[in-house]
Amino acid sequence: MAEAMVLFLRFCFQLIALPVYLLSLLGAWEPFCKKIFFPFFMEMLTAGYNKKTAEQKRELFRNLPEFANSSGELRLLEIGTGSGANFQFYPPGCQVICTDPNPNFHSSLSKSMAQNQHLQFKRVLVASAEDLSKVADSSLDVVVSTLVLCSVQSVEGVLKEVLRILKPGGAFYFLEHEAAAHSSWDYFWQQVYFPTWKLIFDGCCLTRDFRNDLERAKFSEVNLRHIRVPLHWTPIQSHIIGYAVK
């Protein structure tokens, strides 16, 4: 009965989003989404999301300086930097490499960089999280991912790259929305929204379980917890937050 209801409601949402599906069939939605809609949407989302997660982010990044190298330098790479939502939470002097597969965030990223002069911005790379070949092995103290792993092609592939570029003892910090408890109404609605949400929001997957991916990866230590972010009337309230040490 529940599965039938999911399929019915899913079909209803697909009808509502029919213009987007038609544009997708014509090959017009993806370029419009990547160039205009998604960068605009994420810039608008960032302000509200940071207000709702400011306390969690401050607590998450509080111990970043502990992973600085022997010279006191903290070399950090952020996966899927987008418009630079996390810059304000990084410690002064932090050396930041920005990466994103979508170059259309450039304008909002430049604005955010100018507003965060306490950081040293080293490079901006147009690269997917699964292929950071321009970054040397064991060259970074910290890698950060927030609201990114939901849309990558392979979480396993991303974590392999993270482990490759981190120095021994380096840390991977994450804050990601994830699948809700399977017995919950939240998960029911995630299943309903899934195909339409993924199409509209540039491949964002609602039902990934990152805990399993992190535990399968070869980190020496994983510190995580599950939290709920009050993004009311959205299917992305369940989150996982923490850091893992190489």
Side-chain angles (χ1 to χ4, degrees):
M1 182 66 178
E3 184 176 349
M5 185 60 71
V6 165
L7 293 175
F8 171 73
L9 291 173
R10 183 179 288 180
F11 176 71
C12 292
F13 279 105
Q14 288 172 325
L15 284 178
I16 294 171
L18 186 59
V20 177
Y21 280 93
L22 291 174
L23 287 172
S24 181
L25 285 172
L26 294 171
W29 174 252
E30 184 175 354
F32 171 76
C33 178
K34 290 186 179 297
K35 187 173 183 178
I36 299 174
F37 173 74
F38 195 64
F40 172 78
F41 170 79
M42 288 304 296
E43 187 173 5
M44 295 300 100
L45 175 68
T46 292
Y49 186 82
N50 269 356
K51 287 181 181 178
K52 293 180 182 296
T53 60
E55 183 179 346
Q56 290 92 337
K57 283 191 175 185
R58 279 193 289 269
E59 180 62 29
L60 173 65
F61 296 126
R62 192 183 307 277
N63 67 338
L64 276 175
E66 295 177 12
F67 294 98
N69 62 26
S70 57
S71 301
E73 299 172 332
L74 182 66
R75 301 161 300 176
L76 181 152
L77 179 144
E78 184 169 341
I79 294 171
T81 309
S83 59
N86 297 318
F87 292 165
Q88 63 182 291
F89 301 102
Y90 296 157
C94 180
Q95 300 178 10
V96 180
I97 298 175
C98 305
T99 73
D100 202 290
N102 188 345
N104 297 297
F105 282 101
H106 179 75
S107 177
S108 56
L109 177 61
S110 296
K111 180 181 176 181
S112 186
M113 292 168 76
Q115 293 172 342
N116 289 276
Q117 294 295 311
H118 67 291
L119 304 177
Q120 300 177 35
F121 296 101
K122 310 301 287 186
R123 303 165 70 187
V124 177
L125 301 176
V126 178
S128 71
E130 296 95 333
D131 181 11
L132 299 171
S133 56
K134 294 180 181 179
V135 182
D137 295 359
S138 304
S139 61
L140 295 164
D141 305 301
V142 169
V143 175
V144 174
S145 169
T146 62
L147 299 185
V148 173
L149 296 182
C150 59
S151 58
V152 300
Q153 294 296 316
S154 169
V155 176
E156 180 183 3
V158 172
L159 295 181
K160 284 183 178 179
E161 277 291 80
V162 168
L163 285 164
R164 179 185 67 80
I165 63 180
L166 276 176
K167 71 178 184 182
F172 172 55
Y173 285 74
F174 50 87
L175 172 59
E176 302 284 350
H177 70 80
E178 62 171 355
H182 286 203
S183 59
S184 68
W185 278 107
D186 283 351
Y187 186 68
F188 173 86
W189 287 107
Q190 285 179 336
Q191 290 179 295
V192 170
Y193 286 125
F194 182 87
T196 301
W197 184 276
K198 186 174 183 180
L199 175 63
I200 294 176
F201 296 106
D202 200 22
C204 176
C205 179
L206 294 172
T207 56
R208 286 183 172 169
D209 184 350
F210 299 115
R211 178 172 191 145
N212 290 337
D213 294 303
L214 288 162
E215 289 177 347
R216 284 194 297 265
K218 297 179 180 178
F219 289 102
S220 64
E221 175 187 345
V222 179
N223 303 275
L224 62 81
R225 61 191 176 97
H226 301 279
I227 63 172
R228 187 175 177 83
V229 177
L231 299 168
H232 302 301
W233 307 109
T234 77
I236 56 170
Q237 299 190 71
S238 297
H239 282 60
I240 187 170
I241 185 172
Y243 66 95
V245 180
K246 178 176 177 180

